[in-house]
Amino acid sequence: MRILIVEDDVNLNRQLAEVLKEAGYVVDQAYDGEEGHYLGDAEPYDAVILDIGLPEMDGITVLEKWRGGGKSMPVLILTARDRWSDKVAGIDAGADDYVAKPFHVEEVLARIRALIRRAAGHASSEIVCGPVRLDTKGSKATVDGTALKLTSHEFRLLSYLMHHMGQVVSRTELVEHMYDQDFDRDSNTIEVFVGRLRKKIGNDLIETVRGLGYRMQAPGNGN
């Protein structure tokens, strides 16, 4: 899962990025509204953390431009605690949730998890596909009750496929959501990670849809 942080406070931006990366997310960072708007407009994100008080272009304007341009990714806005009007303006502009400063980064992490789950149609923090269980809160997975030992890339791949169970996901889409903007992306490596993942969870859970990509679903649930 790939997250964009748009926050001009360098220390807070770094702190949020560190926590998100530790939780298994890919993170891109922007420090002003113009840069944030550009990245959100050009790159596919699973969620965005957007500060309201940004230089160059304020957060409300950034959000309005995204929504006006058809961008539908979940957005969590950061507001000042005593500025209730910012919260209202943010929600009206298309924000999905908000957190008031100062806050605990764990709260932001929990709200991001919830936004991503809801966007993918999952209500619970645990996603199940046959014998595989993905704990989005603990960033871990099990198969038949046994903990899976996964590399960071394998976990990101499994997480994205399970969040989008039953859907065909292209290699390009997987690359875009598994790597940050500075990574040397190669869609051919996805096939390698899929092969490794199949060995760990079973060959019958991830289907290769020829010419289109991959689809994860429990045996017997196919169309």
Side-chain angles (χ1 to χ4, degrees):
M1 294 295 174
R2 190 175 173 193
I3 309 294
L4 171 63
I5 302 172
V6 190
E7 167 61 65
D8 63 317
D9 184 319
V10 176
N11 290 329
L12 179 57
N13 196 318
R14 184 186 68 248
Q15 185 181 15
L16 287 169
E18 289 174 351
V19 170
L20 287 164
K21 289 176 182 178
E22 287 175 2
Y25 294 98
V26 177
V27 181
D28 291 339
Q29 297 164 264
Y31 300 90
D32 63 64
E34 287 188 355
E35 181 186 17
H37 172 259
Y38 171 77
L39 287 176
D41 198 45
E43 300 285 345
Y45 292 102
D46 296 291
V48 177
I49 298 172
L50 176 66
D51 186 32
I52 292 297
L54 293 167
E56 307 301 335
M57 185 188 301
D58 68 88
I60 298 297
T61 301
V62 171
L63 184 53
E64 288 175 339
K65 285 180 174 289
W66 282 339
R67 296 307 192 221
K71 296 296 180 180
S72 59
M73 66 282 197
V75 175
L76 173 71
I77 57 172
L78 306 179
T79 71
R81 184 170 299 278
D82 58 349
R83 291 291 297 275
W84 63 266
S85 58
D86 283 348
K87 302 171 188 176
V88 173
I91 296 298
D92 285 344
D96 298 273
D97 199 358
Y98 68 84
V99 173
K101 297 179 181 180
F103 51 76
H104 292 288
V105 290
E106 291 78 8
E107 179 183 0
V108 172
L109 187 58
R111 290 179 181 273
I112 285 294
R113 286 196 301 264
L115 288 178
I116 292 175
R117 286 199 312 269
R118 289 201 294 267
H122 302 286
S124 171
S125 62
E126 187 176 72
I127 303 174
V128 180
C129 181
V132 180
R133 291 179 177 269
L134 177 71
D135 177 4
T136 62
K137 180 179 179 182
S139 298
K140 55 188 178 182
T142 60
V143 59
D144 288 324
T146 301
L148 281 170
K149 294 183 179 179
L150 302 172
T151 66
S152 60
H153 287 98
E154 289 168 354
F155 179 81
R156 291 170 188 168
L157 174 62
L158 178 63
S159 177
Y160 195 82
L161 289 174
M162 289 192 70
H163 273 84
H164 298 84
M165 273 192 300
Q167 303 175 31
V168 177
V169 181
S170 69
R171 288 185 182 182
T172 300
E173 184 177 348
L174 287 170
V175 168
E176 290 175 337
H177 290 265
M178 283 178 62
Y179 303 124
D180 63 36
Q181 66 193 85
D182 298 323
F183 195 88
D184 183 14
R185 304 172 184 178
D186 180 2
S187 64
N188 292 325
T189 60
I190 295 298
E191 187 174 349
V192 175
F193 291 131
V194 168
R196 292 179 183 174
L197 201 53
R198 281 174 170 154
K199 291 180 181 179
K200 296 181 179 183
I201 68 173
N203 291 323
D204 57 347
L205 294 177
I206 303 176
E207 172 192 3
T208 298
V209 182
R210 191 174 300 276
L212 296 177
Y214 302 97
R215 175 169 51 208
M216 185 170 183
Q217 58 190 6
N221 289 348
N223 296 322

